[in-house]
Amino acid sequence: MSEQRGRLGCGQPGISALIPWYVNGSIDESERRRIDLHLSECALCRDDLEQERRVYQGMTAETNIAYMPAASLKRLQARIDGAGGADTQASTPAAKRSARRMPWQAVMAASIAVIAVALSLLAADRWMQVRARAAAGSYYTVTTPAPRASGEVIRAVFAPAITLVDLQAILDEAQLRIVAGPSEAGVYSLASNSQRPVASALALLRAHDQVRFAERTPFSVGPGDTP
Amino acid sequence: MTIQAKNSAREHDNELLVAVAAGNRRALEELYLGYHRRLARFLSRFTARYENVEEIINDTFMVVWQSAKDFRGASQVSTWIIGIAYRTALKSLRRQKNHNNALSLDESPQQTTDPTFDAETQDWLRQGLSRLPIEQRLTLELAYHLGHSLEEIAAITDCPVGTVKARMFHAREKLRQYLPSLGGGRGDAPASSP
């Protein structure tokens, strides 16, 4: 303990153990007064406090990273929707009892029902194929004109395992910022942060191996464009 | 934040959680958006991959959704939610460590350089923190990064106040040994302690 005393103040019980909460400002008033009084008399603890404030300062430095909770929330909601059905089926006592005591007649009836559903699905599938051949193709791509986020000039898809630091570095270099996304398909909508021509930012994105796809948003007007 | 504003935020959180317990998805959405930034910044100190951060946050709010009805108001809603996030993160970080995929120094998120805090010390601090046992580091981060009090950390981590103090003491002591410019030591790795 003597080594610890040498490192963290004078080691007086109830003082050095509370220094972190004195530093973060969450300590109650009576404790604060007690520590203040001790600090006025103890150079070791004043030194300890000074060093601890430097650690605190270093740990509270802000990151440059921006988070986009909307897409994460969408995934949580989808998960809740998925879990809801499973929970309802599996968690009720009646469902559990019937699962345990299903007689063979019920098994047969269930099998027949499954076969009937499968046959109807097959028939429906055939009918849909015939309809599809007759109709024009209808599909969505990342460049399909769609509601555009404000200021969006580029749509991009990044490598799935890209870190936030790398993503931010690429955006900083291309002088772009995220205005929407990622969509279900992982597409980000990017706007320009500067007067850099969109074509130049696009070329930079495309040259990066962590960028899977980058395309100018159709009909967008960005820096460097002649009106 | 003033005491009045804090109380008002607490009351609002309570109302939201009651609504979540009744199955209100809008209330869950509001609670999620209210806590996402705080949790994401906190968790990104342990893992650089956004998918890991998102996974921990969504696991946390899945538990909030399923367990809101069990909340009895023994602590603040924020303490309860951060407590769930703490346990989820602890489990996830241990799993990552077991798979040799824990946060490496090269991966750890870069902090904005504070002009009054030199880059060398910042680097030592980053390295020192990454070497701490996970419970000690989480205790330190809960106090310094999220600003929680001793009692709140005890509630979040579900540990006695004495354990929190001991974890904090060991964390600080090890950090001083890792940080020569702060502790005056040689920067050698200290022997492991409980």
Side-chain angles (χ1 to χ4, degrees), chain A residues 52-69:
Chain A
E52 206 53 39
R53 278 189 170 139
R54 307 244 327 136
V55 172
Y56 176 73
Q57 193 186 354
M59 287 178 66
T60 48
E62 290 288 309
T63 56
N64 277 325
I65 299 161
Y67 295 99
M68 297 140 291

Side-chain angles (χ1 to χ4, degrees), chain A residues 58-82:
Chain A
M59 287 178 66
T60 48
E62 290 288 309
T63 56
N64 277 325
I65 299 161
Y67 295 99
M68 297 140 291
S72 307
L73 177 61
K74 221 184 284 178
R75 279 187 275 275
L76 174 69
Q77 286 168 333
R79 202 169 139 191
I80 289 172
D81 289 337

Side-chain angles (χ1 to χ4, degrees), chain A residues 4 7 16 21 24 26 48 51-52 54 57 59-62 67 72-73 75 79-81 161, chain B residues 25 29 32 41 44 49-50 54 58-59 111-112 116-117 143-145 148-149 169 172-173 176 182:
Chain A
Q4 289 174 354
R7 288 183 181 280
S16 66
W21 291 282
N24 83 356
S26 68
D48 180 34
Q51 292 182 26
E52 206 53 39
R54 307 244 327 136
Q57 193 186 354
M59 287 178 66
T60 48
E62 290 288 309
Y67 295 99
S72 307
L73 177 61
R75 279 187 275 275
R79 202 169 139 191
I80 289 172
D81 289 337
Chain B
R25 291 277 286 267
E29 191 179 315
Y32 185 94
R41 294 179 89 87
S44 67
R49 294 190 184 283
Y50 185 62
E54 184 193 288
N58 282 6
D59 284 352
Q111 308 295 313
T112 307
T116 60
F117 204 78
Y144 285 177
H145 199 73
H148 284 291
S149 70
F169 188 89
R172 291 173 61 215
E173 194 208 12
R176 295 283 171 90
L182 290 170

